[in-house]
Structure formats: structure tokens, C-alpha cells
Amino acid sequence: MQITPLDLEARLLEEELKILFQQAYEKGIQDAEQKYNLPHHLRKPDVAEIFQVSLATVENIIRMEGFPKSKVVSARYPRDMVLKWAEDPTNIERVNRLRNKLNTEWGR
């Protein structure tokens, strides 16, 4: 049986897709592990880690309208609600604007 260039191209594409799908799967597992390794009620350092900001910036983030706060434990933030809040493009933009503003003020 002779392999045509088209067959060879299809096999190469199939192998590349298998690798890509495996990488995406592994990345998804890694992301889930990181997400669920966080405590159910986040503290300010946890929020800083999620947003990759300083604790001073966290102080401003937690004061943003709509930022989730625990109704059970003071100074704690419900993990799942914070992660959902962080996925909202409007909130991402608000955090980025805040980060840029603070970096400008601090001369970074």
C-alpha cells in the first residue's frame, strides 16, 4: 500500500492534534488542582495570589462594588464566588485599570 502526500499530511495532523489535546487536558487538570487547592474561604494573601497583585492592591480590590465577601467568616472571601467574579471581563478590566493606576502612582 502506497502512502500519498495527502495521507501523510493527514497522519501528521492527527498526531499533532493528539499532542495538542493531551497538553490541553493536562493544563485543565493542573488548573483544576490549583483552583481546588485554595481554601473555601480565602484570605487576602490568597486573593493576591489569584490576581497576582500586592496586598495593598488587594485592599482596593476587595472594596470594589460586587466583590464577594463571606457572610459567615469576617475578612474572608468565598473561593468559588471570587473565582467566578474574577472571570467576568468587566471585573478583569476594573482590576487591570486599578493595577495600572497604582503602578503609575508608585512609579513602576
Side-chain angles (χ1 to χ4, degrees), residues 1-16:
M1 179 176 172
Q2 197 173 29
I3 297 176
T4 67
L6 190 57
D7 292 335
L8 182 58
E9 186 177 339
R11 286 182 184 178
L12 289 173
L13 178 61
E14 182 180 350
E15 287 304 313
E16 287 178 20

Side-chain angles (χ1 to χ4, degrees), residues 79-98:
R79 177 194 63 211
D80 296 341
M81 292 175 72
V82 168
L83 293 172
K84 184 176 180 181
W85 186 91
E87 291 173 357
D88 184 318
T90 302
N91 295 328
I92 292 169
E93 180 59 32
R94 290 168 64 197
V95 169
N96 287 336
R97 279 196 313 263
L98 174 65

Side-chain angles (χ1 to χ4, degrees), residues 36-49:
Y36 290 106
N37 277 337
L38 293 168
H40 183 70
H41 285 94
L42 304 174
R43 295 172 49 240
K44 290 175 187 176
D46 301 317
V47 175
E49 182 180 332

Side-chain angles (χ1 to χ4, degrees), residues 22 24 32 36 54 60 73-74 77 79 104:
Q22 182 64 34
Y36 290 106
S54 69
N60 290 289
V73 184
S74 65
Y77 313 93
R79 177 194 63 211
T104 301

